[in-house]
C-alpha cells in the first residue's frame, strides 16, 4: 500500500469580474491528477512554470482545499479534513519551500524557527531539551553551532535552505513536499542541497514529492518521474524508463533541452512553438496539441486516455496507443 495516493485531484480558481464579482470562468490549475508515492520513494513532478506543480503539492498537504478528487495518506482520506483534524497529521507531512529568503520569519532567531514545531507538538520537552534538539538538527544539515542565536539575514541562500530543511525534519516526518528547493540557488549550491536531501532520505527513510522544472536535477534524486503540463500528468515512469525510453512529445522536448556534459555527444534540440496556453482557457482535445510537433487532426478534437506502455510507465498521448 502506498504511503500517499492521489486520485483525480482537481484545484480550480474562480475568475471574477464586474461590480458584483460574478464568476465568469475558472483557472484549472490542477485538472485530474493521479499518482502514488511509495514509502521511502522520491517521486518527482516536472514541468514548465505555471503547469500546476506547486498547487498540487500544496493541495496534497491541505494548505489549499481540493475541488475534487481524493488524497489518501497512510490509508486515511485527508482531502476534506478540517484544520483541527489535520493538525496531528501535520507532523508527518512537511514542506520545504522554494524561496529560502521569504519562507523564514526575519524576526525570529534560527533556534526559534526550527524549535517552534517541536514546542507545539512536544510541549512536554524542557527548554534545554528543545535547544539540544535544535542544535542536533543544525549539525545534521551542516550549519555551525552558533546558528540558533542568529537571524536568517545572517545566512546565505544555501544556508537558509538548510534551515528550512532542518525545520521540515524536526518532527521526524514520513513525507516531505520539496517545492523546487534548489531553483533559487547557485548551481554549485544546488548539488550540495540535493546530496543533503538524498542523505536524509536514506538515513530517516523519508518519502519525497520533489517538485522541479529541471530534469537534470531530478535525475540525481528521483525514483519515479511524472511530467506535468497544464494541470495534467502527460507521462509517468520510473526514472530509468523515462530517461531511457521517453514516449510523450513534451517529455522528448524537455529532455532535448538538458545539457550533455560530453562534447562528443550531439543531441537534436526540439524547440516548442508558442507558449504554454492559459489554464483559464485550455485548448480542446489534448492540452499539448497547439505546441506538439507530432500533432494530427484527432489531437485537437479528442482528449487522449492514459495508456500504460510498460509496467509503471503511463502516457497520455494518441501516439503511445498506436
Amino acid at each position: 500500500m502506498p504511503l500517499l495516493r492521489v486520485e483525480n485531484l482537481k484545484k480550480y480558481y474562480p475568475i471574477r469580474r464586474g461590480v458584483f464579482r460574478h464568476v465568469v470562468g475558472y483557472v484549472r490549475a490542477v485538472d485530474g491528477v493521479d499518482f502514488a508515492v511509495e514509502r521511502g520513494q522520491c517521486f518527482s513532478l516536472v514541468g514548465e512554470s505555471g503547469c500546476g506543480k506547486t498547487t498540487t503539492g500544496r493541495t496534497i498537504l491541505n494548505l489549499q482545499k481540493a475541488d475534487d478528487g481524493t488524497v489518501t495518506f497512510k490509508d486515511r482520506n485527508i482531502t476534506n479534513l478540517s484544520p483541527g483534524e489535520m493538525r496531528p497529521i501535520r507532523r508527518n507531512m512537511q514542506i520545504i519551500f522554494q524561496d529560502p529568503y521569504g519562507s523564514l520569519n526575519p524576526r525570529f532567531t534560527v533556534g526559534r524557527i526550527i524549535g517552534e514545531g517541536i514546542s507545539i507538538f512536544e510541549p512536554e520537552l524542557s527548554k534545554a531539551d528543545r535547544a539540544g534538539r535544535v542544535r542536533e538538527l543544525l549539525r545534521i544539515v551542516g550549519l555551525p553551532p552558533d546558528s540558533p542565536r542568529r537571524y536568517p539575514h545572517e545566512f546565505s541562500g544555501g544556508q537558509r535552505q538548510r534551515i528550512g530543511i532542518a525545520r521540515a525534519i524536526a518532527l521526524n516526518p514520513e513525507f516531505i513536499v520539496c517545492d523546487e528547493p534548489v531553483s533559487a540557488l547557485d548551481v554549485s549550491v544546488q548539488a550540495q542541497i540535493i546530496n543533503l536531501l538524498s542523505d536524509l532520505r536514506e538515513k530517516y527513510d523519508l518519502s519525497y514529492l520533489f517538485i522541479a522544472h529541471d530534469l537534470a536535477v531530478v535525475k540525481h534524486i528521483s525514483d519515479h518521474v511524472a511530467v506535468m503540463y497544464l494541470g495534467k500528468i502527460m507521462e509517468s515512469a520510473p526514472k530509468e524508463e523515462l530517461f531511457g525510453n521517453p514516449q510523450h512529445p513534451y517529455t522528448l522536448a524537455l529532455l532535448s533541452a538538458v545539457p550533455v556534459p560530453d562534447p562528443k555527444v550531439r543531441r537534436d534540440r526540439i524547440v516548442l512553438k508558442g507558449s504554454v496556453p492559459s489554464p483559464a482557457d485550455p485548448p480542446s482535445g489534448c492540452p499539448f496539441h497547439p505546441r506538439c510537433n507530432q500533432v494530427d487532426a484527432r489531437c485537437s478534437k479528442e482528449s487522449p486516455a492514459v495508456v500504460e506502455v510498460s509496467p509503471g510507465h503511463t502516457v497520455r498521448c494518441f501516439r503511445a496507443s498506436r
Side-chain angles (χ1 to χ4, degrees):
M1 179 65 69
L3 178 68
L4 177 86
R5 182 177 293 279
V6 178
E7 298 174 286
N8 195 35
L9 187 68
K10 296 181 180 180
K11 179 61 183 177
Y12 295 174
Y13 296 101
I15 302 171
R16 300 180 185 273
R17 290 181 184 157
V19 176
F20 298 102
R21 311 299 294 163
H22 292 304
V23 176
V24 297
Y26 291 90
V27 175
R28 301 183 178 189
V30 181
D31 196 15
V33 165
D34 299 273
F35 63 86
V37 181
E38 304 291 340
R39 292 181 181 274
Q41 184 184 49
C42 179
F43 186 103
S44 291
L45 271 182
V46 182
E48 293 173 273
S49 297
C51 71
K53 308 183 300 296
T54 292
T55 302
T56 299
R58 294 180 68 88
T59 305
I60 286 171
L61 295 177
N62 232 335
L63 299 176
Q64 296 175 334
K65 286 294 181 183
D67 293 310
D68 198 4
T70 58
V71 177
T72 306
F73 180 68
K74 297 178 68 174
D75 299 336
R76 182 179 182 184
N77 186 348
I78 65 170
T79 317
N80 297 311
L81 296 185
S82 67
E85 292 171 322
M86 274 298 299
R87 182 169 178 173
I89 301 173
R90 293 263 179 234
R91 68 179 304 156
N92 280 324
M93 304 179 75
Q94 292 291 313
I95 183 170
I96 301 168
F97 294 98
Q98 176 181 359
D99 183 8
Y101 299 93
S103 60
L104 304 177
N105 192 325
R107 294 182 176 87
F108 287 3
T109 64
V110 169
R112 182 175 176 184
I113 289 171
I114 298 173
E116 190 170 28
I118 300 172
S119 63
I120 291 172
F121 285 95
E122 300 180 27
E124 72 280 1
L125 282 182
S126 67
K127 186 176 180 179
D129 289 340
R130 187 164 61 248
R133 176 88 69 84
V134 169
R135 286 194 299 271
E136 175 62 14
L137 287 164
L138 290 167
R139 184 194 65 78
I140 290 170
V141 300
L143 289 174
D146 66 337
S147 298
R149 301 191 303 272
R150 297 162 65 186
Y151 288 85
H153 72 268
E154 300 178 56
F155 295 87
S156 67
Q159 288 176 321
R160 293 187 202 192
Q161 198 59 290
R162 290 174 186 268
I163 296 169
I165 293 171
R167 176 175 60 184
I169 66 172
L171 297 171
N172 299 314
E174 297 179 61
F175 174 74
I176 299 178
V177 173
C178 304
D179 184 13
E180 302 213 37
V182 298
S183 63
L185 306 177
D186 294 338
V187 175
S188 60
V189 180
Q190 286 183 8
Q192 297 172 17
I193 297 300
I194 291 294
N195 290 336
L196 173 61
L197 289 171
S198 297
D199 293 343
L200 292 174
R201 177 163 72 107
E202 183 176 346
K203 184 176 181 179
Y204 298 107
D205 195 28
L206 296 170
S207 302
Y208 292 152
L209 174 63
F210 193 91
I211 296 169
H213 61 264
D214 188 344
L215 277 167
V217 170
V218 304
K219 187 175 184 179
H220 296 286
I221 193 171
S222 307
D223 298 308
H224 196 104
V225 181
V227 178
M228 198 168 180
Y229 184 82
L230 216 62
K232 296 181 182 292
I233 290 179
M234 310 309 287
E235 184 167 9
S236 178
K239 178 182 67 176
E240 294 80 5
E241 176 73 9
L242 187 107
F243 281 87
N245 184 32
Q247 295 288 311
H248 199 280
Y250 181 53
T251 308
L252 290 165
L254 292 180
L255 285 172
S256 75
V258 177
V260 179
D262 188 347
K264 297 179 181 179
V265 176
R266 289 188 172 273
R267 178 183 290 168
D268 293 332
R269 179 79 167 90
I270 301 173
V271 180
L272 297 177
K273 56 186 178 182
S275 57
V276 181
S278 169
D281 186 25
S284 60
C286 174
F288 186 62
H289 88 262
R291 307 177 71 196
C292 184
N293 61 356
Q294 301 181 40
V295 66
D296 58 32
R298 185 183 182 188
C299 300
S300 62
K301 299 174 182 177
E302 302 176 39
S303 179
V306 175
V307 178
E308 187 171 38
V309 296
S310 63
H313 188 173
T314 59
V315 186
R316 188 188 297 270
C317 184
F318 292 120
R319 176 177 176 268
S321 62
R322 292 174 186 143

